[in-house]
Amino acid sequence: MVPLILLVGRYLRPANPDPKKLSTYECGELPKGNSWVQFNLRFYVIAILFLIFDVEIAFMFPVAVTFRQWVTSSQAKGVLIFSEIILFIAILLIGFVYAWTKGDFEWIKGLQKKQIDPRFRGDDLK
Amino acid sequence: MTSLPEFLKELFESWPLLGILPVWFYSIVAIFGLLFLFLFPFAGVAVYVERKIAGDIQARIGPNVVGPYGILQWIADALKLLLKEDIIPTNADKKLFILSPMLIFISGACAYAVIPFADNVILANLNIGIFYLLAITSMVTLGLILGGWASNNKWSLLGGLRAAAQVVSYEIPVALSILTVVLVTGTLDMAQIVKMQGPFYWNIFHNPFLFISACIYYIAALAEANRTPFDIPEADSELVSGYNTEYSGMRFAIFFLIEYAECFIICAVATTLFLGGWHLPFFDLSSLTLGLRIPLQIMVFMTKSILLLLTMMWIRWTLPRYRVDQLMKLCWEVFVPFSFACLIGTAFWMVLFKGKGIPELILGLFVS
């Protein structure tokens, strides 16, 4: 689909490139350096957490599908499957609470922990 | 319970020429019909409506030049974008730059396969419909981060990184609220989920926890589609345009189109899962004849979805943008615990009342 649209467009639209037009857009300034530099992968921890949660959810789906059937069939089966779900989630939640208390969900974690130089704290302004 | 191609085949069985055509012919017709007659015009009209609403909210007129009330604006926009020069920056990674809009388009368009517009009007009646939807919409992240990276632009890179972190995080509340619905319905089949709800037993009224998880789904899905107030990946005032800064012409149009297509998918899924799909309360549509039933069901379904879509636009032009750290905090420290609580709460309700929802329980009081 996309190649088709772009192909149709190719014969309709103008194409007169020049080096300035093809340069990287940085609000009209000349671009400084390459943007493929080392950057702080802040969401690295979040990505790992996401992976764990997503796998958990994927494993929960088969349970969820049979859940209704078990619950409506008998009381004992319902209690059994309910306690299984609770156990499954509880194991994950322990890790979740650990990550929370470690402060992994704070985007500006690195900045908060840094000690501020007392000279710049502004105490002497008072 | 059949899909749209099989249904079309059955419908034209007795016709002289159309009857002998194979099923794959009908499925191709159905796919192209959906793409050209629904997806593209719908996204265009949605853009027009959004601009009009934005105008009303900000006490402006909005588009009013092309056609009466500016109603042809979206056609003019599409033509303009088609005729614009296509620029690929020299510093960009060309292959990935071209691949990114395609990936996004594929994931956006494929999601339409399992949207049940009416009884039998569903492109592919998968028995793992909602699971497929979760998987296919996650592919958008890949496209966004590739686009952001390949542009070799600082704005794009920052936008792409933010988009990846955000979409990935909000995937969890979305998946958990879908899981809550699956607990209640006991099936992953989209058409079956709608059938289960019937005219009265909409999932949103099943129990109080499901009501909360419907709200969580809607808000988290807003964040997943990068809509305001969660549009930090493309925050215009700080990142120019985020991951699609370097894209121009038709490639940009694809990003834009899929954004609106995705918004509709969110609303359609919310309608299917929580608001009873094509069912009207107090009126059983399935008793009508075929010719009357299917247009009515499509109309009911579309009305519900479009009401949700309009709410989305209303939210966009009313609320200010979140900050990155607030956004992550909101997801992990509010939505995830709450959606887990809703999941356990719903499971408990199911065990306690043997799978009966509030409407059924109230009805049971009157019967006995």
Side-chain angles (χ1 to χ4, degrees):
Chain A
M1 270 323 292
V2 179
L4 192 81
I5 299 169
L6 290 174
L7 197 73
V8 170
R10 166 167 262 172
Y11 298 106
L12 292 173
R13 66 178 171 238
N16 27 2
D18 69 67
K20 273 220 177 110
K21 204 189 270 175
L22 293 183
S23 75
T24 309
Y25 176 73
E26 244 167 55
C27 303
E29 301 278 330
L30 283 177
K32 277 205 166 173
N34 200 312
S35 75
W36 292 338
V37 289
Q38 283 204 331
F39 47 83
N40 191 352
L41 269 178
R42 187 68 76 191
F43 67 93
Y44 182 66
V45 180
I46 286 174
I48 292 175
L49 273 170
F50 162 73
L51 194 71
I52 300 163
F53 272 92
D54 220 35
V55 169
E56 154 112 2
I57 289 163
F59 279 135
M60 285 281 284
F61 265 102
V63 183
V65 173
T66 50
F67 187 76
R68 191 188 175 85
Q69 214 181 332
W70 281 45
V71 163
T72 45
S73 66
S74 79
Q75 192 81 39
K77 264 185 164 181
V79 172
L80 178 69
I81 197 164
F82 179 65
S83 49
E84 273 177 0
I85 286 179
I86 292 280
L87 189 71
F88 198 55
I89 292 173
I91 292 168
L92 185 87
L93 281 186
I94 293 167
F96 179 68
V97 168
Y98 174 71
W100 194 339
T101 50
K102 265 196 84 187
D104 283 336
F105 301 140
E106 277 164 36
W107 194 259
I108 43 172
K109 185 174 85 179
L111 294 175
Q112 279 177 343
K113 291 246 172 92
K114 209 178 276 177
Q115 276 284 314
I116 300 167
D117 195 319
R119 275 176 300 167
F120 301 124
R121 213 187 280 152
D123 292 345
D124 51 333
L125 291 176
K126 273 183 249 170
Chain B
M1 193 86 62
T2 49
S3 60
L4 184 58
E6 289 161 22
F7 177 63
L8 282 176
K9 168 108 175 130
E10 264 170 47
L11 205 63
F12 294 119
E13 199 74 78
S14 53
W15 289 40
L17 183 66
L18 293 167
I20 50 167
L21 292 167
V23 174
W24 60 261
F25 174 80
Y26 285 106
S27 51
I28 287 172
V29 167
I31 289 167
F32 276 85
L34 195 75
L35 277 181
F36 284 104
L37 297 179
F38 180 71
L39 206 157
F40 295 147
F42 185 83
V45 172
V47 173
Y48 165 74
V49 169
E50 167 131 42
R51 288 173 68 180
K52 236 8 189 185
I53 287 176
D56 277 349
I57 288 175
Q58 298 172 342
R60 304 184 274 117
I61 301 171
N64 67 339
V65 177
V66 192
Y69 301 104
I71 209 157
L72 299 174
Q73 182 68 43
W74 62 278
I75 298 175
D77 280 346
L79 274 176
K80 184 198 79 180
L81 283 166
L82 190 69
L83 295 174
K84 283 282 177 191
E85 189 177 347
D86 180 33
I87 297 169
I88 299 177
T90 35
N91 288 333
D93 188 332
K94 205 175 166 197
K95 277 180 203 147
L96 294 183
F97 191 84
I98 294 169
L99 182 67
S100 161
M102 291 188 191
L103 267 180
I104 289 178
F105 186 85
I106 289 168
S107 69
C110 284
Y112 276 81
V114 289
I115 303 289
F117 289 99
D119 204 3
N120 292 332
V121 184
I122 174 170
L123 214 53
N125 197 8
L126 297 178
N127 53 4
I128 52 159
I130 191 72
F131 201 62
Y132 163 86
L133 202 95
L134 263 182
I136 211 87
T137 47
S138 313
M139 260 176 62
V140 175
T141 328
L142 210 61
L144 296 187
I145 200 167
L146 271 186
W149 169 257
S151 302
N152 195 358
N153 180 325
K154 281 120 190 164
W155 309 123
S156 305
L157 184 65
L158 277 174
L161 286 180
R162 283 179 176 192
Q166 178 184 331
V167 175
V168 146
S169 300
Y170 278 88
E171 182 93 27
I172 294 164
V174 167
L176 278 173
S177 9
I178 289 175
L179 197 64
T180 316
V181 174
V182 175
L183 276 186
V184 172
T185 54
T187 172
L188 296 171
D189 189 330
M190 295 284 267
Q192 196 66 43
I193 288 173
V194 178
K195 283 245 166 89
M196 289 282 296
Q197 296 181 50
F200 295 111
Y201 312 123
W202 294 5
N203 275 337
I204 194 167
F205 303 125
H206 185 276
N207 64 49
F209 299 106
L210 259 176
F211 184 76
I212 299 170
S213 79
C215 299
I216 289 177
Y217 172 80
Y218 192 64
I219 299 168
L222 268 181
E224 234 198 317
N226 302 328
R227 297 278 296 181
T228 328
F230 307 105
D231 70 336
I232 53 154
E234 45 191 293
D236 326 35
S237 47
E238 32 183 307
L239 287 184
V240 186
S241 182
Y243 50 83
N244 56 24
T245 304
E246 290 291 356
Y247 285 89
S248 58
M250 216 50 211
R251 284 182 218 281
F252 171 73
I254 289 162
F255 276 106
F256 213 65
L257 183 98
I258 291 306
E259 193 191 315
Y260 280 90
E262 245 189 275
C263 290
F264 179 74
I265 289 169
I266 288 163
C267 299
V269 172
T271 308
T272 311
L273 293 183
F274 297 105
L275 297 177
W278 60 72
H279 290 297
L280 267 182
F282 304 110
F283 189 69
D284 198 5
L285 288 174
S286 58
S287 57
L288 297 170
T289 54
L290 191 79
L292 202 60
R293 193 182 72 210
I294 287 184
L296 263 178
Q297 283 179 338
I298 292 177
M299 264 167 62
V300 170
F301 183 83
M302 291 302 288
T303 312
K304 286 177 186 174
S305 315
I306 285 170
L307 277 178
L308 286 178
L309 198 70
L310 290 178
T311 316
M312 226 177 211
M313 291 173 180
W314 180 20
I315 290 171
R316 172 164 182 188
W317 295 101
T318 311
L319 297 179
R321 187 178 298 135
Y322 267 90
R323 227 168 49 208
V324 187
D325 58 324
Q326 287 174 333
L327 187 93
M328 291 328 241
K329 244 191 152 71
L330 182 71
C331 175
W332 286 100
E333 300 182 3
V334 179
F335 283 158
V336 172
F338 263 86
S339 44
F340 266 119
C342 287
L343 184 73
I344 295 170
T346 306
F348 188 65
W349 181 285
M350 291 286 283
V351 175
L352 205 61
F353 296 105
K354 293 207 164 171
K356 285 198 177 76
I358 290 172
E360 273 171 292
L361 287 172
I362 293 171
L363 217 65
L365 284 180
F366 286 115
V367 170
S368 66

